[in-house]
Amino acid sequence: MGKLTVGALRAVLAMMLIGTFFVQAGMVWALVTGNDPEDGSLPLTPLRVVTVLGMMAVQVAVVCVWRLVSMVRRGTVFSHAAFRYVDIVIGAIVAAALVWFTVTGINAPGQREDPGVTVIMAGVGVAILGVALIVLVLRMLLAQAVARDGEAVRMQAELDEVV
């Protein structure tokens, strides 16, 4: 992975992390101060709490991807240590999907006249779960690569003994 690619990815990850912290701070501030009174059109307090939880899922995934990029840069990504981070990313994506389904459920009563919005939102939740499945498939590919790397190391050791 080139230095430009790593730098660009880290810049995007840093912006995501900073952005999620600002969103969380705004939601917590609104919850604590009560500056934005609810007018009854939407249950804002549950939406704010769910937003904070959703941002936490994004932050966990961003930190784990940062760690994986560092492992790629060092050439240690094909190790069992990488599985921990990939598993956490999968869990964070599933958590984000659950948060999205919660938002869909909170929003659904206001969409009785137009249930299509709720169906679309549920579809987005399913798509988020699809991303978790894609990462799971990539984890399986990583497992195969780690196994092959281990086999190559073993075969090289045997070859070194013969020579």
Side-chain angles (χ1 to χ4, degrees):
M1 188 179 270
K3 287 183 180 184
L4 182 61
T5 305
V6 169
L9 180 56
R10 285 188 172 164
V12 169
L13 293 173
M15 286 188 292
M16 287 176 64
L17 203 57
I18 291 167
T20 57
F21 281 128
F22 276 119
V23 170
Q24 278 181 322
M27 293 295 117
V28 169
W29 181 257
L31 282 169
V32 171
T33 62
N35 283 342
D36 189 16
E38 297 182 20
D39 64 357
S41 61
L42 277 176
L44 294 179
T45 300
L47 285 173
R48 287 184 180 127
V49 170
V50 170
T51 300
V52 169
L53 295 174
M55 293 299 105
M56 286 173 62
V58 172
Q59 291 164 349
V60 167
V62 165
V63 169
C64 288
V65 169
W66 187 287
R67 296 287 299 157
L68 286 167
V69 169
S70 297
M71 292 178 80
V72 168
R73 225 27 215 140
R74 290 191 311 262
T76 59
V77 76
F78 295 116
S79 67
H80 292 286
F83 290 113
R84 178 178 61 194
Y85 297 115
V86 175
D87 291 340
I88 294 171
V89 168
I90 292 169
I93 295 170
V94 170
L98 293 175
V99 165
W100 186 256
F101 286 128
T102 303
V103 169
T104 302
I106 292 170
N107 189 49
Q111 300 297 326
R112 290 197 175 131
E113 292 150 13
D114 186 13
V117 172
T118 303
V119 172
I120 291 170
M121 289 179 71
V124 170
V126 171
I128 295 169
L129 287 175
V131 172
L133 288 173
I134 291 169
V135 176
L136 181 62
V137 168
L138 293 174
R139 184 198 185 284
M140 291 177 196
L141 292 173
L142 177 64
Q144 287 180 353
V146 168
R148 295 250 165 88
D149 192 46
E151 186 178 335
V153 167
R154 184 185 54 77
M155 291 175 78
Q156 182 65 41
E158 288 178 7
L159 185 62
D160 289 344
E161 286 177 10
V162 172
V163 175

